[in-house]
PDB file of all heavy atoms in Angstrom:
ATOM      1  N   THR A  23       2.552   1.123   2.504  1.00  0.00           N
ATOM      2  CA  THR A  23       1.826   0.197   3.332  1.00  0.00           C
ATOM      3  C   THR A  23       0.519  -0.239   2.681  1.00  0.00           C
ATOM      4  O   THR A  23      -0.116   0.533   1.965  1.00  0.00           O
ATOM      5  CB  THR A  23       1.525   0.769   4.743  1.00  0.00           C
ATOM      6  OG1 THR A  23       0.719   1.951   4.533  1.00  0.00           O
ATOM      7  CG2 THR A  23       2.779   1.091   5.461  1.00  0.00           C
ATOM      8  N   LYS A  24       0.091  -1.449   2.947  1.00  0.00           N
ATOM      9  CA  LYS A  24      -1.144  -2.059   2.434  1.00  0.00           C
ATOM     10  C   LYS A  24      -1.112  -2.192   0.915  1.00  0.00           C
ATOM     11  O   LYS A  24      -2.155  -2.281   0.280  1.00  0.00           O
ATOM     12  CB  LYS A  24      -2.398  -1.232   2.872  1.00  0.00           C
ATOM     13  CG  LYS A  24      -2.546  -1.035   4.354  1.00  0.00           C
ATOM     14  CD  LYS A  24      -2.539  -2.368   5.108  1.00  0.00           C
ATOM     15  CE  LYS A  24      -3.686  -3.261   4.720  1.00  0.00           C
ATOM     16  NZ  LYS A  24      -3.605  -4.602   5.391  1.00  0.00           N
ATOM     17  N   ARG A  68      -7.954   0.526  -0.156  1.00  0.00           N
ATOM     18  CA  ARG A  68      -6.763   0.450   0.723  1.00  0.00           C
ATOM     19  C   ARG A  68      -7.080   0.995   2.077  1.00  0.00           C
ATOM     20  O   ARG A  68      -6.629   0.426   3.094  1.00  0.00           O
ATOM     21  CB  ARG A  68      -5.600   1.193   0.038  1.00  0.00           C
ATOM     22  CG  ARG A  68      -4.320   1.275   0.889  1.00  0.00           C
ATOM     23  CD  ARG A  68      -3.222   2.028   0.216  1.00  0.00           C
ATOM     24  NE  ARG A  68      -2.122   2.268   1.137  1.00  0.00           N
ATOM     25  CZ  ARG A  68      -2.044   3.285   1.952  1.00  0.00           C
ATOM     26  NH1 ARG A  68      -3.031   4.239   1.981  1.00  0.00           N
ATOM     27  NH2 ARG A  68      -1.036   3.452   2.755  1.00  0.00           N
ATOM     28  N   TRP A  69      -7.801   2.057   2.120  1.00  0.00           N
ATOM     29  CA  TRP A  69      -8.103   2.700   3.447  1.00  0.00           C
ATOM     30  C   TRP A  69      -8.960   1.754   4.309  1.00  0.00           C
ATOM     31  O   TRP A  69      -8.744   1.594   5.515  1.00  0.00           O
ATOM     32  CB  TRP A  69      -8.844   4.044   3.265  1.00  0.00           C
ATOM     33  CG  TRP A  69      -9.146   4.696   4.537  1.00  0.00           C
ATOM     34  CD1 TRP A  69      -8.317   5.544   5.250  1.00  0.00           C
ATOM     35  CD2 TRP A  69     -10.327   4.623   5.309  1.00  0.00           C
ATOM     36  NE1 TRP A  69      -8.923   5.990   6.409  1.00  0.00           N
ATOM     37  CE2 TRP A  69     -10.182   5.388   6.521  1.00  0.00           C
ATOM     38  CE3 TRP A  69     -11.537   3.917   5.165  1.00  0.00           C
ATOM     39  CZ2 TRP A  69     -11.155   5.521   7.490  1.00  0.00           C
ATOM     40  CZ3 TRP A  69     -12.551   4.056   6.131  1.00  0.00           C
ATOM     41  CH2 TRP A  69     -12.322   4.824   7.271  1.00  0.00           C
ATOM     42  N   VAL A  70      -9.935   1.088   3.710  1.00  0.00           N
ATOM     43  CA  VAL A  70     -10.771   0.142   4.408  1.00  0.00           C
ATOM     44  C   VAL A  70      -9.916  -0.985   5.004  1.00  0.00           C
ATOM     45  O   VAL A  70     -10.047  -1.342   6.179  1.00  0.00           O
ATOM     46  CB  VAL A  70     -11.880  -0.432   3.529  1.00  0.00           C
ATOM     47  CG1 VAL A  70     -12.599  -1.615   4.188  1.00  0.00           C
ATOM     48  CG2 VAL A  70     -12.884   0.651   3.134  1.00  0.00           C
ATOM     49  N   SER A  71      -9.045  -1.497   4.190  1.00  0.00           N
ATOM     50  CA  SER A  71      -8.132  -2.565   4.646  1.00  0.00           C
ATOM     51  C   SER A  71      -7.190  -2.033   5.724  1.00  0.00           C
ATOM     52  O   SER A  71      -7.010  -2.701   6.736  1.00  0.00           O
ATOM     53  CB  SER A  71      -7.312  -3.094   3.460  1.00  0.00           C
ATOM     54  OG  SER A  71      -6.390  -4.055   3.906  1.00  0.00           O
ATOM     55  N   GLY A  72      -6.684  -0.870   5.579  1.00  0.00           N
ATOM     56  CA  GLY A  72      -5.745  -0.317   6.538  1.00  0.00           C
ATOM     57  C   GLY A  72      -6.409   0.005   7.872  1.00  0.00           C
ATOM     58  O   GLY A  72      -5.872  -0.223   8.969  1.00  0.00           O
ATOM     59  N   PHE A  73      -7.653   0.587   7.787  1.00  0.00           N
ATOM     60  CA  PHE A  73      -8.404   0.853   9.041  1.00  0.00           C
ATOM     61  C   PHE A  73      -8.687  -0.428   9.784  1.00  0.00           C
ATOM     62  O   PHE A  73      -8.551  -0.465  11.045  1.00  0.00           O
ATOM     63  CB  PHE A  73      -9.687   1.557   8.619  1.00  0.00           C
ATOM     64  CG  PHE A  73     -10.493   2.021   9.824  1.00  0.00           C
ATOM     65  CD1 PHE A  73     -10.430   3.375  10.220  1.00  0.00           C
ATOM     66  CD2 PHE A  73     -11.341   1.181  10.520  1.00  0.00           C
ATOM     67  CE1 PHE A  73     -11.172   3.801  11.340  1.00  0.00           C
ATOM     68  CE2 PHE A  73     -12.088   1.614  11.577  1.00  0.00           C
ATOM     69  CZ  PHE A  73     -12.021   2.938  12.044  1.00  0.00           C
ATOM     70  N   SER A  74      -9.069  -1.468   9.047  1.00  0.00           N
ATOM     71  CA  SER A  74      -9.368  -2.741   9.757  1.00  0.00           C
ATOM     72  C   SER A  74      -8.122  -3.272  10.469  1.00  0.00           C
ATOM     73  O   SER A  74      -8.260  -3.832  11.545  1.00  0.00           O
ATOM     74  CB  SER A  74      -9.859  -3.760   8.713  1.00  0.00           C
ATOM     75  OG  SER A  74     -11.009  -3.251   8.007  1.00  0.00           O
ATOM     76  N   GLN A  75      -6.988  -3.153   9.848  1.00  0.00           N
ATOM     77  CA  GLN A  75      -5.777  -3.640  10.443  1.00  0.00           C
ATOM     78  C   GLN A  75      -5.337  -2.719  11.639  1.00  0.00           C
ATOM     79  O   GLN A  75      -4.880  -3.215  12.661  1.00  0.00           O
ATOM     80  CB  GLN A  75      -4.626  -3.704   9.472  1.00  0.00           C
ATOM     81  CG  GLN A  75      -3.341  -4.342   9.991  1.00  0.00           C
ATOM     82  CD  GLN A  75      -2.330  -4.639   8.921  1.00  0.00           C
ATOM     83  OE1 GLN A  75      -2.628  -4.552   7.735  1.00  0.00           O
ATOM     84  NE2 GLN A  75      -1.125  -4.976   9.334  1.00  0.00           N
ATOM     85  N   CYS A  76      -5.573  -1.440  11.464  1.00  0.00           N
ATOM     86  CA  CYS A  76      -5.219  -0.510  12.543  1.00  0.00           C
ATOM     87  C   CYS A  76      -5.990  -0.768  13.833  1.00  0.00           C
ATOM     88  O   CYS A  76      -5.506  -0.698  14.948  1.00  0.00           O
ATOM     89  CB  CYS A  76      -5.459   0.913  12.046  1.00  0.00           C
ATOM     90  SG  CYS A  76      -5.163   2.232  13.319  1.00  0.00           S
ATOM     91  N   PHE A  77      -7.272  -1.083  13.683  1.00  0.00           N
ATOM     92  CA  PHE A  77      -8.195  -1.192  14.808  1.00  0.00           C
ATOM     93  C   PHE A  77      -8.616  -2.648  15.158  1.00  0.00           C
ATOM     94  O   PHE A  77      -9.629  -2.882  15.775  1.00  0.00           O
ATOM     95  CB  PHE A  77      -9.427  -0.383  14.619  1.00  0.00           C
ATOM     96  CG  PHE A  77      -9.187   1.125  14.685  1.00  0.00           C
ATOM     97  CD1 PHE A  77      -8.971   1.862  13.540  1.00  0.00           C
ATOM     98  CD2 PHE A  77      -9.143   1.739  15.914  1.00  0.00           C
ATOM     99  CE1 PHE A  77      -8.788   3.224  13.611  1.00  0.00           C
ATOM    100  CE2 PHE A  77      -8.940   3.126  16.006  1.00  0.00           C
ATOM    101  CZ  PHE A  77      -8.740   3.860  14.824  1.00  0.00           C
ATOM    102  N   VAL A 101      -6.690   9.643   8.550  1.00  0.00           N
ATOM    103  CA  VAL A 101      -5.366   9.022   8.791  1.00  0.00           C
ATOM    104  C   VAL A 101      -5.231   8.733  10.280  1.00  0.00           C
ATOM    105  O   VAL A 101      -5.238   9.659  11.112  1.00  0.00           O
ATOM    106  CB  VAL A 101      -4.193   9.872   8.314  1.00  0.00           C
ATOM    107  CG1 VAL A 101      -2.857   9.195   8.614  1.00  0.00           C
ATOM    108  CG2 VAL A 101      -4.315  10.118   6.805  1.00  0.00           C
ATOM    109  N   PHE A 102      -5.056   7.457  10.622  1.00  0.00           N
ATOM    110  CA  PHE A 102      -4.927   7.010  12.012  1.00  0.00           C
ATOM    111  C   PHE A 102      -3.537   6.451  12.305  1.00  0.00           C
ATOM    112  O   PHE A 102      -3.055   6.496  13.434  1.00  0.00           O
ATOM    113  CB  PHE A 102      -5.963   6.014  12.382  1.00  0.00           C
ATOM    114  CG  PHE A 102      -7.370   6.565  12.364  1.00  0.00           C
ATOM    115  CD1 PHE A 102      -8.127   6.506  11.203  1.00  0.00           C
ATOM    116  CD2 PHE A 102      -7.943   7.103  13.487  1.00  0.00           C
ATOM    117  CE1 PHE A 102      -9.410   7.039  11.176  1.00  0.00           C
ATOM    118  CE2 PHE A 102      -9.226   7.657  13.473  1.00  0.00           C
ATOM    119  CZ  PHE A 102      -9.948   7.625  12.318  1.00  0.00           C
ATOM    120  N   ASP A 103      -2.883   5.894  11.299  1.00  0.00           N
ATOM    121  CA  ASP A 103      -1.545   5.341  11.415  1.00  0.00           C
ATOM    122  C   ASP A 103      -0.961   5.143  10.029  1.00  0.00           C
ATOM    123  O   ASP A 103      -1.557   5.604   9.039  1.00  0.00           O
ATOM    124  CB  ASP A 103      -1.593   4.038  12.221  1.00  0.00           C
ATOM    125  CG  ASP A 103      -2.226   2.883  11.440  1.00  0.00           C
ATOM    126  OD1 ASP A 103      -2.887   3.137  10.417  1.00  0.00           O
ATOM    127  OD2 ASP A 103      -2.045   1.726  11.842  1.00  0.00           O
ATOM    128  N   GLY A 104       0.140   4.428   9.954  1.00  0.00           N
ATOM    129  CA  GLY A 104       0.756   4.245   8.647  1.00  0.00           C
ATOM    130  C   GLY A 104      -0.091   3.413   7.672  1.00  0.00           C
ATOM    131  O   GLY A 104       0.040   3.554   6.427  1.00  0.00           O
ATOM    132  N   HIS A 105      -0.976   2.574   8.227  1.00  0.00           N
ATOM    133  CA  HIS A 105      -1.803   1.748   7.313  1.00  0.00           C
ATOM    134  C   HIS A 105      -2.886   2.565   6.647  1.00  0.00           C
ATOM    135  O   HIS A 105      -3.418   2.159   5.616  1.00  0.00           O
ATOM    136  CB  HIS A 105      -2.507   0.654   8.148  1.00  0.00           C
ATOM    137  CG  HIS A 105      -1.518  -0.321   8.781  1.00  0.00           C
ATOM    138  ND1 HIS A 105      -1.181  -0.242  10.126  1.00  0.00           N
ATOM    139  CD2 HIS A 105      -0.828  -1.350   8.263  1.00  0.00           C
ATOM    140  CE1 HIS A 105      -0.299  -1.225  10.410  1.00  0.00           C
ATOM    141  NE2 HIS A 105      -0.075  -1.888   9.273  1.00  0.00           N
ATOM    142  N   THR A 106      -3.229   3.732   7.216  1.00  0.00           N
ATOM    143  CA  THR A 106      -4.292   4.583   6.632  1.00  0.00           C
ATOM    144  C   THR A 106      -3.691   5.888   6.081  1.00  0.00           C
ATOM    145  O   THR A 106      -4.484   6.758   5.678  1.00  0.00           O
ATOM    146  CB  THR A 106      -5.348   4.891   7.692  1.00  0.00           C
ATOM    147  OG1 THR A 106      -4.722   5.400   8.874  1.00  0.00           O
ATOM    148  CG2 THR A 106      -6.142   3.620   8.036  1.00  0.00           C
ATOM    149  N   GLU A 107      -2.388   6.019   6.020  1.00  0.00           N
ATOM    150  CA  GLU A 107      -1.755   7.217   5.497  1.00  0.00           C
ATOM    151  C   GLU A 107      -2.065   7.286   3.999  1.00  0.00           C
ATOM    152  O   GLU A 107      -2.203   6.286   3.329  1.00  0.00           O
ATOM    153  CB  GLU A 107      -0.219   7.177   5.738  1.00  0.00           C
ATOM    154  CG  GLU A 107       0.533   8.359   5.223  1.00  0.00           C
ATOM    155  CD  GLU A 107       0.088   9.665   5.809  1.00  0.00           C
ATOM    156  OE1 GLU A 107      -0.852  10.264   5.241  1.00  0.00           O
ATOM    157  OE2 GLU A 107       0.695  10.099   6.830  1.00  0.00           O
ATOM    158  N   TYR A 108      -2.127   8.477   3.465  1.00  0.00           N
ATOM    159  CA  TYR A 108      -2.362   8.690   2.026  1.00  0.00           C
ATOM    160  C   TYR A 108      -1.210   8.108   1.230  1.00  0.00           C
ATOM    161  O   TYR A 108      -0.078   8.220   1.613  1.00  0.00           O
ATOM    162  CB  TYR A 108      -2.511  10.177   1.736  1.00  0.00           C
ATOM    163  CG  TYR A 108      -3.719  10.833   2.323  1.00  0.00           C
ATOM    164  CD1 TYR A 108      -3.577  11.759   3.343  1.00  0.00           C
ATOM    165  CD2 TYR A 108      -5.002  10.557   1.853  1.00  0.00           C
ATOM    166  CE1 TYR A 108      -4.700  12.378   3.884  1.00  0.00           C
ATOM    167  CE2 TYR A 108      -6.087  11.163   2.389  1.00  0.00           C
ATOM    168  CZ  TYR A 108      -5.980  12.084   3.389  1.00  0.00           C
ATOM    169  OH  TYR A 108      -7.071  12.708   3.937  1.00  0.00           O
ATOM    170  N   PHE A 112       3.616   8.676   0.516  1.00  0.00           N
ATOM    171  CA  PHE A 112       4.764   7.757   0.386  1.00  0.00           C
ATOM    172  C   PHE A 112       5.537   8.056  -0.866  1.00  0.00           C
ATOM    173  O   PHE A 112       6.775   7.940  -0.906  1.00  0.00           O
ATOM    174  CB  PHE A 112       4.307   6.289   0.343  1.00  0.00           C
ATOM    175  CG  PHE A 112       3.666   5.846   1.616  1.00  0.00           C
ATOM    176  CD1 PHE A 112       2.332   5.867   1.814  1.00  0.00           C
ATOM    177  CD2 PHE A 112       4.468   5.296   2.668  1.00  0.00           C
ATOM    178  CE1 PHE A 112       1.713   5.406   2.987  1.00  0.00           C
ATOM    179  CE2 PHE A 112       3.881   4.830   3.834  1.00  0.00           C
ATOM    180  CZ  PHE A 112       2.494   4.910   4.000  1.00  0.00           C
ATOM    181  N   ASN A 160      -1.495  -8.845   3.542  1.00  0.00           N
ATOM    182  CA  ASN A 160      -1.983  -9.203   4.820  1.00  0.00           C
ATOM    183  C   ASN A 160      -3.504  -9.333   4.716  1.00  0.00           C
ATOM    184  O   ASN A 160      -4.213  -8.399   4.901  1.00  0.00           O
ATOM    185  CB  ASN A 160      -1.594  -8.204   5.899  1.00  0.00           C
ATOM    186  CG  ASN A 160      -0.147  -8.223   6.142  1.00  0.00           C
ATOM    187  OD1 ASN A 160       0.543  -9.240   6.104  1.00  0.00           O
ATOM    188  ND2 ASN A 160       0.439  -7.035   6.344  1.00  0.00           N
TER     189      ASN A 160
END
Side-chain angles (χ1 to χ4, degrees):
T23 58
K24 304 306 297 177
R68 176 181 171 273
W69 182 85
V70 170
S71 177
F73 185 98
S74 304
Q75 187 170 348
C76 176
F77 288 97
V101 178
F102 294 89
D103 70 345
H105 298 101
T106 53
E107 181 60 272
Y108 294 110
F112 294 94
N160 294 321

